[in-house]
Amino acid sequence: MTISVNPHPQIMCDTISERDSIPARTGIRVFCRETDSNFIFDGTWKAASGGAPGPPGDDGYTPIKGVDYFDGDPGAPGSPGAPGSDADVTVHEGAFNHSLLHSNALDHAEAHTHTGVYEAANANIQAHVVAAHAPATAQANADITKAEIEAKLTGEIASHSHAGGGGGQPIGLTVLANDTTAVALATYFNVKLTVTAARTLTTTVPAAGTRCAVVVLTSGTTSRVITFGTGFKAVTTLATGTTSGRVFVVNFISDGTNLYEAGRTAAMVA
């Protein structure tokens, strides 16, 4: 079988004897395989080479006796060279078994395993991982006791107020040191003190509408006179009497500038 391909033909032979019968000629490319066995061609085409060209012919001339001159025509071509040897054909015997042959599919499966036990995929777990977490010292609301709350709620809370108007009525009673004179009712609201001598009390004034009380405890059998000074608007002074261990309660209400006396008790047993 001959396949013409420019610039030279290619010839395919089924048997080696067919190959050997092809005359050698420059430019012919030959591929030969045995058809009765599993031969494959594993080489490349090799061109059959011709023989070396013959020498150039002599210049032509016209012989005339006594004259030898050139008539301008070229001489005849030289003789062709000897035929070249047959082209080499490499033949490999054996069944076709290309170890590098791959499927066109690009997804090659590979074994991929992990040792150990893993939690199954769960959306709730992922949501928990990315959510904000409480600090390690956080305490559950159900575990907070009343005593823990009261331990934190000590001292004055200046910003405290109640909805519906007003600052709300302060509660609590602060026991002051004996003979304290600056009772600071804007801070403590209700105070208790023991007097051992005549004293003049002064105070700061809480917000208008705030009710305050001063509880006076007597000590000894000598009557002491308590005067209500700066910040107070009292009815009169307070005489403690000559009986030790008696209590007087003097009530006041604020207008924002002064604390006005709103009543007082008689001596009561402590």
Side-chain angles (χ1 to χ4, degrees):
M1 178 179 180
T2 300
I3 303 174
S4 295
V5 179
N6 290 329
H8 303 292
Q10 296 180 355
I11 298 177
M12 177 181 290
C13 298
D14 292 330
T15 65
I16 293 176
S17 62
E18 288 181 356
R19 182 201 68 184
D20 294 337
S21 68
I22 299 172
R25 188 171 48 173
T26 300
I28 291 179
R29 298 178 181 273
V30 179
F31 174 76
C32 181
R33 62 186 177 87
E34 295 285 349
T35 59
D36 57 354
S37 61
N38 293 326
F39 287 104
I40 62 170
F41 181 68
D42 194 28
T44 59
W45 291 104
K46 296 183 179 179
S49 58
D58 297 333
D59 293 337
Y61 65 95
T62 302
I64 297 177
K65 185 177 180 180
V67 178
D68 187 6
Y69 61 91
F70 174 63
D71 60 6
D73 293 330
S79 301
S85 59
D86 292 340
D88 294 331
V89 176
T90 302
V91 177
H92 295 275
E93 183 176 0
F96 179 76
N97 183 17
H98 201 306
S99 62
L100 299 180
L101 194 61
H102 286 273
S103 168
N104 288 333
L106 296 179
D107 52 336
H108 295 277
E110 294 184 6
H112 187 74
T113 59
H114 293 277
T115 58
V117 179
Y118 291 85
E119 183 73 32
N122 188 299
N124 294 330
I125 295 176
Q126 181 62 25
H128 175 76
V129 170
V130 300
H133 288 67
T137 56
Q139 185 176 4
N141 291 341
D143 296 336
I144 300 174
T145 65
K146 177 175 177 290
E148 290 174 331
I149 296 174
E150 292 176 343
K152 295 296 183 181
L153 299 179
T154 60
E156 178 189 7
I157 305 177
S159 61
H160 180 73
S161 63
H162 293 274
Q169 178 59 47
I171 60 175
L173 178 67
T174 301
V175 178
L176 302 177
N178 290 358
D179 297 315
T180 297
T181 57
V183 294
L185 292 177
T187 300
Y188 302 117
F189 306 109
N190 301 298
V191 298
K192 180 179 180 181
L193 72 153
T194 299
V195 292
T196 62
R199 300 297 181 193
T200 297
L201 305 182
T202 63
T203 186
T204 53
V205 180
T210 304
R211 291 182 176 274
C212 300
V214 177
V215 180
V216 178
L217 177 63
T218 65
S219 176
T221 57
T222 302
S223 182
R224 313 297 183 184
V225 177
I226 306 300
T227 302
F228 296 96
T230 303
F232 291 105
K233 294 293 182 180
V235 174
T236 185
T237 59
L238 173 66
T240 61
T242 59
T243 303
S244 182
R246 292 292 183 264
V247 172
F248 298 86
V249 179
V250 185
N251 297 300
F252 296 90
I253 186 171
S254 172
D255 69 350
T257 303
N258 297 289
L259 282 168
Y260 291 92
E261 185 177 337
R264 66 178 68 184
T265 67
M268 296 177 289
V269 178

